[in-house]
Amino acid sequence: MQASHVFHRQLLQDMPVAVSGQGITLTDSQGKTYLDASGGAAVSCLGHGHPDVIAAMHRQLDQLAYAHTSFFTTAVAEELADTLIDTAPAGMSNVYFVSGGSEAVEAALKMARQYFVEIGQPQREHFIARRQSYHGNTLGALAVGGNAWRREQFKPLLIEVEHVSPCYEYRDRRADETAEQYGQRLVAELEATIERLGGDKVIAFVAETVGGATAGVLTPVPGYFKGVRELCDRHGILLILDEVMCGMGRTGTLHACEQEGVVPDLMTIAKGLGGGYQPIGAVLAQSRIVETFRQGSGLFQHGHTYLGHAVACAAALAVQRVIQRDGLLAQVRERGAQLQALFQEAFGDHPHVGDVRGRGLFWGIELVADRASKQWFDPALKLHARIKRAAMAEGLMCYPAGGSVDGRCGDHILLAPPFVSTPDELAQIVQRLRRAIDKTLAGVPTLATA
Ligand SMILES: Cc1ncc(COP(=O)(O)O)c(C=O)c1O
């Protein structure tokens, strides 16, 4: 085969060529099919080839593909914003459209900083975020992100951000603590960090409501985010919740924060917003923040060429309408319970599955060399990469990653099947995953190293 001119993510690997997609199945150029059990990277909530979304995109293309937002607004962007605000957490009034998750996080960070400049608190200059988090790969998003490996070589380019502990119950809750007490210990750690930096020096605390890509679906313990919210309020600090991966229905409610009983000041969304039909992300902002901008400088000093792209907005609007029309949030909860039962059956007594955690159709499986001690596999084995290859050979797309524990050690597999998956498809996913894991483990030494 002729050498590819694409600058691929992995330069040493030949990728299959995807040629078509229908429902939860992708087909490559050899005719091999793959069940998309991760929705790519928790993106394809409606699966592939959804006729309503495709028709909406065609209609928009025939009318207008693109109009720059410094000249025009469009009916479709206005309608999408209305739809998102109708269903947003209390107090959200406006939507800032971008083209993906990292752009949404960058915009939220700058929005938060400019807000404090506008209200006469320019001394606020610190962000606090969490270790083991992922907020994107652009420099601002990477700086707030807490994955040591992803940050390492770019450190000299990153703004300084304080990182506190993630909410990682499986590994970090002590045996003598309840889940609530563990959550309060984390809140106390955050409080100590705020006090060390100075409560009037901090711009925002940034967190994924449910941790996703880099630690494998870390669900918050009860009361944790309520404690965080109170702390932020007490110090006048903004709470930015990153729901790029866990939001837009993935956990069984439209926004993951609904299950925590908290409302953020700014919230980022992407992935499931457009379901992969177009690149689109957004920041949802509280009216208090938007009004401050309106009555202050009158502009947010930011922007990109493709903000509010008309075809992207049309795709997202169609995706969100299908989710509402077809009652897919309830379906996510129902299928989520089915998937959890299938996991229990397949992995409940598996010697190398340490933890299975998740909500709705968003699940993480943490692999361990030894269940009792929770000892991880030697990271040099790159177990996660082997499992991904084995799964692809089985005709299964899942989303494994390494460094779950500290950016270096630990392996997990993330699953985020489309909301439209049938019970039979979920059963096939779990069967293929079990085969991929067992075949992989059969081929590696199971002795762990620290
Ligand atoms: C929570 C979270 N934030 C931000 C991003 C970055 O999004 P994108 O890859 O669209 O830039 C991701 C991507 O996985 C994510 O999971």
Side-chain angles (χ1 to χ4, degrees), residues 30 53 69 83 108 111 134 177 242 282 287 289 304 311 326 357-358 374 414:
Q30 306 297 307
V53 185
T69 45
T83 303
M111 219 177 256
Y134 184 61
E177 279 175 327
D242 182 353
S287 64
I289 295 175
H304 300 287
V311 179
D326 295 352
R357 53 196 177 233
K374 302 184 183 174
L414 191 145

Side-chain angles (χ1 to χ4, degrees), residues 9 41-43 99-105 133-138 141 150 207-214 242-246 268 270-271 280-281 362 399:
R9 283 171 183 253
V43 172
S99 303
S102 302
E103 277 189 15
V105 171
S133 59
Y134 184 61
H135 297 294
N137 267 331
T138 51
R150 287 180 191 250
E208 296 161 89
T209 314
V210 178
T214 46
D242 182 353
E243 299 213 355
V244 163
M245 189 176 262
C246 64
T268 54
K271 295 191 187 268
I280 184 165
F362 193 38
Y399 194 39

Side-chain angles (χ1 to χ4, degrees), residues 407-428:
R408 191 181 78 88
C409 303
D411 296 273
H412 68 260
I413 302 161
L414 191 145
L415 293 167
F419 304 171
V420 294
S421 307
T422 63
D424 183 51
E425 286 167 333
L426 293 179
Q428 285 184 52

